[in-house]
PDB file of all heavy atoms in Angstrom:
ATOM      1  N   THR A 249     -33.332  19.413 -10.913  1.00  0.00           N
ATOM      2  CA  THR A 249     -33.843  18.058 -10.699  1.00  0.00           C
ATOM      3  C   THR A 249     -34.987  18.061  -9.700  1.00  0.00           C
ATOM      4  O   THR A 249     -36.031  17.431  -9.908  1.00  0.00           O
ATOM      5  CB  THR A 249     -32.719  17.132 -10.212  1.00  0.00           C
ATOM      6  OG1 THR A 249     -31.701  17.060 -11.203  1.00  0.00           O
ATOM      7  CG2 THR A 249     -33.253  15.730  -9.947  1.00  0.00           C
ATOM      8  N   THR A 250     -34.803  18.799  -8.609  1.00  0.00           N
ATOM      9  CA  THR A 250     -35.849  18.878  -7.590  1.00  0.00           C
ATOM     10  C   THR A 250     -37.082  19.578  -8.131  1.00  0.00           C
ATOM     11  O   THR A 250     -38.216  19.146  -7.899  1.00  0.00           O
ATOM     12  CB  THR A 250     -35.322  19.623  -6.351  1.00  0.00           C
ATOM     13  OG1 THR A 250     -34.187  18.932  -5.823  1.00  0.00           O
ATOM     14  CG2 THR A 250     -36.395  19.709  -5.271  1.00  0.00           C
ATOM     15  N   LYS A 251     -36.873  20.659  -8.880  1.00  0.00           N
ATOM     16  CA  LYS A 251     -38.015  21.389  -9.425  1.00  0.00           C
ATOM     17  C   LYS A 251     -38.802  20.546 -10.428  1.00  0.00           C
ATOM     18  O   LYS A 251     -40.035  20.606 -10.468  1.00  0.00           O
ATOM     19  CB  LYS A 251     -37.547  22.687 -10.078  1.00  0.00           C
ATOM     20  CG  LYS A 251     -37.188  23.775  -9.071  1.00  0.00           C
ATOM     21  CD  LYS A 251     -37.265  25.145  -9.702  1.00  0.00           C
ATOM     22  CE  LYS A 251     -37.247  26.232  -8.660  1.00  0.00           C
ATOM     23  NZ  LYS A 251     -37.723  27.516  -9.157  1.00  0.00           N
ATOM     24  N   LEU A 252     -38.118  19.764 -11.235  1.00  0.00           N
ATOM     25  CA  LEU A 252     -38.810  18.899 -12.178  1.00  0.00           C
ATOM     26  C   LEU A 252     -39.652  17.869 -11.444  1.00  0.00           C
ATOM     27  O   LEU A 252     -40.765  17.524 -11.867  1.00  0.00           O
ATOM     28  CB  LEU A 252     -37.807  18.209 -13.103  1.00  0.00           C
ATOM     29  CG  LEU A 252     -37.157  19.113 -14.160  1.00  0.00           C
ATOM     30  CD1 LEU A 252     -36.025  18.375 -14.869  1.00  0.00           C
ATOM     31  CD2 LEU A 252     -38.195  19.596 -15.171  1.00  0.00           C
ATOM     32  N   ASN A 253     -39.109  17.377 -10.323  1.00  0.00           N
ATOM     33  CA  ASN A 253     -39.874  16.435  -9.511  1.00  0.00           C
ATOM     34  C   ASN A 253     -41.128  17.094  -8.950  1.00  0.00           C
ATOM     35  O   ASN A 253     -42.236  16.556  -9.037  1.00  0.00           O
ATOM     36  CB  ASN A 253     -38.990  15.910  -8.372  1.00  0.00           C
ATOM     37  CG  ASN A 253     -39.728  14.963  -7.446  1.00  0.00           C
ATOM     38  OD1 ASN A 253     -40.598  15.374  -6.687  1.00  0.00           O
ATOM     39  ND2 ASN A 253     -39.360  13.696  -7.489  1.00  0.00           N
ATOM     40  N   LEU A 254     -40.971  18.294  -8.393  1.00  0.00           N
ATOM     41  CA  LEU A 254     -42.101  18.997  -7.799  1.00  0.00           C
ATOM     42  C   LEU A 254     -43.093  19.476  -8.853  1.00  0.00           C
ATOM     43  O   LEU A 254     -44.285  19.615  -8.565  1.00  0.00           O
ATOM     44  CB  LEU A 254     -41.608  20.189  -6.985  1.00  0.00           C
ATOM     45  CG  LEU A 254     -40.873  19.851  -5.698  1.00  0.00           C
ATOM     46  CD1 LEU A 254     -40.410  21.124  -5.007  1.00  0.00           C
ATOM     47  CD2 LEU A 254     -41.758  19.060  -4.756  1.00  0.00           C
ATOM     48  N   PHE A 255     -42.604  19.715 -10.060  1.00  0.00           N
ATOM     49  CA  PHE A 255     -43.494  20.176 -11.118  1.00  0.00           C
ATOM     50  C   PHE A 255     -44.607  19.172 -11.390  1.00  0.00           C
ATOM     51  O   PHE A 255     -45.733  19.553 -11.730  1.00  0.00           O
ATOM     52  CB  PHE A 255     -42.708  20.445 -12.400  1.00  0.00           C
ATOM     53  CG  PHE A 255     -43.559  20.993 -13.509  1.00  0.00           C
ATOM     54  CD1 PHE A 255     -43.972  22.315 -13.501  1.00  0.00           C
ATOM     55  CD2 PHE A 255     -43.972  20.181 -14.554  1.00  0.00           C
ATOM     56  CE1 PHE A 255     -44.776  22.819 -14.517  1.00  0.00           C
ATOM     57  CE2 PHE A 255     -44.768  20.673 -15.581  1.00  0.00           C
ATOM     58  CZ  PHE A 255     -45.168  22.000 -15.550  1.00  0.00           C
ATOM     59  N   GLU A 256     -44.306  17.884 -11.221  1.00  0.00           N
ATOM     60  CA  GLU A 256     -45.334  16.865 -11.426  1.00  0.00           C
ATOM     61  C   GLU A 256     -46.447  17.001 -10.393  1.00  0.00           C
ATOM     62  O   GLU A 256     -47.616  16.722 -10.686  1.00  0.00           O
ATOM     63  CB  GLU A 256     -44.703  15.471 -11.376  1.00  0.00           C
ATOM     64  CG  GLU A 256     -43.733  15.202 -12.522  1.00  0.00           C
ATOM     65  CD  GLU A 256     -44.350  15.485 -13.880  1.00  0.00           C
ATOM     66  OE1 GLU A 256     -45.494  15.026 -14.126  1.00  0.00           O
ATOM     67  OE2 GLU A 256     -43.715  16.177 -14.704  1.00  0.00           O
ATOM     68  N   TYR A 257     -46.099  17.433  -9.193  1.00  0.00           N
ATOM     69  CA  TYR A 257     -47.125  17.661  -8.168  1.00  0.00           C
ATOM     70  C   TYR A 257     -47.946  18.900  -8.512  1.00  0.00           C
ATOM     71  O   TYR A 257     -49.156  18.940  -8.271  1.00  0.00           O
ATOM     72  CB  TYR A 257     -46.475  17.798  -6.791  1.00  0.00           C
ATOM     73  CG  TYR A 257     -45.960  16.487  -6.253  1.00  0.00           C
ATOM     74  CD1 TYR A 257     -44.703  16.007  -6.605  1.00  0.00           C
ATOM     75  CD2 TYR A 257     -46.753  15.722  -5.398  1.00  0.00           C
ATOM     76  CE1 TYR A 257     -44.239  14.792  -6.120  1.00  0.00           C
ATOM     77  CE2 TYR A 257     -46.295  14.504  -4.909  1.00  0.00           C
ATOM     78  CZ  TYR A 257     -45.038  14.056  -5.273  1.00  0.00           C
ATOM     79  OH  TYR A 257     -44.586  12.850  -4.798  1.00  0.00           O
ATOM     80  N   TYR A 258     -47.269  19.926  -9.027  1.00  0.00           N
ATOM     81  CA  TYR A 258     -47.986  21.100  -9.524  1.00  0.00           C
ATOM     82  C   TYR A 258     -48.984  20.698 -10.604  1.00  0.00           C
ATOM     83  O   TYR A 258     -50.158  21.072 -10.584  1.00  0.00           O
ATOM     84  CB  TYR A 258     -46.982  22.093 -10.120  1.00  0.00           C
ATOM     85  CG  TYR A 258     -46.720  23.320  -9.282  1.00  0.00           C
ATOM     86  CD1 TYR A 258     -45.479  23.538  -8.712  1.00  0.00           C
ATOM     87  CD2 TYR A 258     -47.711  24.273  -9.080  1.00  0.00           C
ATOM     88  CE1 TYR A 258     -45.223  24.672  -7.955  1.00  0.00           C
ATOM     89  CE2 TYR A 258     -47.466  25.409  -8.336  1.00  0.00           C
ATOM     90  CZ  TYR A 258     -46.224  25.599  -7.770  1.00  0.00           C
ATOM     91  OH  TYR A 258     -45.989  26.710  -7.031  1.00  0.00           O
ATOM     92  N   ARG A 259     -48.490  19.936 -11.565  1.00  0.00           N
ATOM     93  CA  ARG A 259     -49.329  19.531 -12.687  1.00  0.00           C
ATOM     94  C   ARG A 259     -50.544  18.742 -12.193  1.00  0.00           C
ATOM     95  O   ARG A 259     -51.678  18.963 -12.631  1.00  0.00           O
ATOM     96  CB  ARG A 259     -48.516  18.682 -13.672  1.00  0.00           C
ATOM     97  CG  ARG A 259     -49.255  18.397 -14.987  1.00  0.00           C
ATOM     98  CD  ARG A 259     -48.666  17.192 -15.695  1.00  0.00           C
ATOM     99  NE  ARG A 259     -47.242  17.318 -15.902  1.00  0.00           N
ATOM    100  CZ  ARG A 259     -46.693  17.877 -16.974  1.00  0.00           C
ATOM    101  NH1 ARG A 259     -47.457  18.350 -17.938  1.00  0.00           N
ATOM    102  NH2 ARG A 259     -45.379  17.914 -17.084  1.00  0.00           N
ATOM    103  N   ALA A 260     -50.310  17.813 -11.277  1.00  0.00           N
ATOM    104  CA  ALA A 260     -51.399  16.987 -10.756  1.00  0.00           C
ATOM    105  C   ALA A 260     -52.431  17.837 -10.018  1.00  0.00           C
ATOM    106  O   ALA A 260     -53.648  17.621 -10.157  1.00  0.00           O
ATOM    107  CB  ALA A 260     -50.841  15.911  -9.825  1.00  0.00           C
ATOM    108  N   LEU A 261     -51.948  18.812  -9.246  1.00  0.00           N
ATOM    109  CA  LEU A 261     -52.859  19.678  -8.500  1.00  0.00           C
ATOM    110  C   LEU A 261     -53.770  20.463  -9.436  1.00  0.00           C
ATOM    111  O   LEU A 261     -55.005  20.449  -9.289  1.00  0.00           O
ATOM    112  CB  LEU A 261     -52.065  20.639  -7.608  1.00  0.00           C
ATOM    113  CG  LEU A 261     -52.867  21.754  -6.926  1.00  0.00           C
ATOM    114  CD1 LEU A 261     -53.891  21.171  -5.964  1.00  0.00           C
ATOM    115  CD2 LEU A 261     -51.915  22.715  -6.198  1.00  0.00           C
ATOM    116  N   TYR A 262     -53.180  21.132 -10.418  1.00  0.00           N
ATOM    117  CA  TYR A 262     -53.965  22.000 -11.297  1.00  0.00           C
ATOM    118  C   TYR A 262     -54.780  21.216 -12.326  1.00  0.00           C
ATOM    119  O   TYR A 262     -55.840  21.670 -12.750  1.00  0.00           O
ATOM    120  CB  TYR A 262     -53.056  23.033 -11.957  1.00  0.00           C
ATOM    121  CG  TYR A 262     -52.618  24.090 -10.966  1.00  0.00           C
ATOM    122  CD1 TYR A 262     -51.462  23.934 -10.226  1.00  0.00           C
ATOM    123  CD2 TYR A 262     -53.398  25.215 -10.733  1.00  0.00           C
ATOM    124  CE1 TYR A 262     -51.071  24.876  -9.290  1.00  0.00           C
ATOM    125  CE2 TYR A 262     -53.027  26.165  -9.804  1.00  0.00           C
ATOM    126  CZ  TYR A 262     -51.866  25.988  -9.078  1.00  0.00           C
ATOM    127  OH  TYR A 262     -51.501  26.911  -8.148  1.00  0.00           O
ATOM    128  N   THR A 263     -54.299  20.032 -12.683  1.00  0.00           N
ATOM    129  CA  THR A 263     -55.102  19.174 -13.553  1.00  0.00           C
ATOM    130  C   THR A 263     -56.356  18.724 -12.821  1.00  0.00           C
ATOM    131  O   THR A 263     -57.469  18.740 -13.365  1.00  0.00           O
ATOM    132  CB  THR A 263     -54.288  17.959 -14.016  1.00  0.00           C
ATOM    133  OG1 THR A 263     -53.152  18.408 -14.771  1.00  0.00           O
ATOM    134  CG2 THR A 263     -55.135  17.039 -14.890  1.00  0.00           C
ATOM    135  N   GLY A 264     -56.183  18.327 -11.562  1.00  0.00           N
ATOM    136  CA  GLY A 264     -57.315  17.888 -10.764  1.00  0.00           C
ATOM    137  C   GLY A 264     -58.342  18.979 -10.541  1.00  0.00           C
ATOM    138  O   GLY A 264     -59.542  18.699 -10.411  1.00  0.00           O
TER     139      GLY A 264
END
Side-chain angles (χ1 to χ4, degrees):
T249 299
T250 301
K251 284 202 166 198
L252 287 171
N253 178 289
L254 290 179
F255 183 76
E256 294 308 312
Y257 287 84
Y258 254 114
R259 189 200 306 271
L261 171 63
Y262 287 90
T263 299

